[in-house]
Amino acid sequence: MPANPKYLNNSKSQRFAKISAAVIGGYLLSSGLHLVLALILPNPKIVLITSVYTLYILWGLLLLVPFLYKNGWKVWLVYLGILCLMALMIYLNPRPL
């Protein structure tokens, strides 16, 4: 059964925003989360070893998130805000990796 055309968006910029947020933003968020977990938890080596598997599982889940929203640029804004918070947590952490 084909999709109803009234729910489809023909804008190329929205398509680009959603696909780039899914691929690039999702990967950056999943790797940033693992870096923050490595800083917070007492044994960072375990987090970095298990991130080989969990990073791609989380990335696969974050690939779907931008397609649930109407505006892809808002998803980018949310992703960049979360990335800035993670970068601030990494930068302000007194313990080196």
Side-chain angles (χ1 to χ4, degrees), residues 23-33 59 62 76 80 83 86:
V23 176
I24 299 168
Y27 186 77
L28 290 175
L29 273 180
S30 59
S31 61
L33 177 69
W59 185 30
L62 289 173
W76 258 120
L80 288 175
L83 281 170
M86 285 187 210

Side-chain angles (χ1 to χ4, degrees), residues 61-79:
L61 293 173
L62 289 173
L63 278 170
L64 301 174
V65 172
F67 298 103
L68 298 175
Y69 294 93
K70 253 186 172 349
N71 193 343
W73 299 111
K74 287 184 182 178
V75 176
W76 258 120
L77 188 64
V78 170
Y79 275 11

Side-chain angles (χ1 to χ4, degrees), residues 2-11 18 70:
N4 193 343
K6 72 178 181 180
Y7 295 114
L8 298 177
N9 191 349
N10 292 330
S11 173
K18 287 180 182 182
K70 253 186 172 349

Side-chain angles (χ1 to χ4, degrees), residues 34-47 50 95:
H34 282 86
L35 285 174
V36 169
L37 284 176
L39 291 174
I40 292 173
L41 296 176
N43 194 355
K45 292 179 184 176
I46 300 293
V47 174
T50 58
R95 189 178 82 183

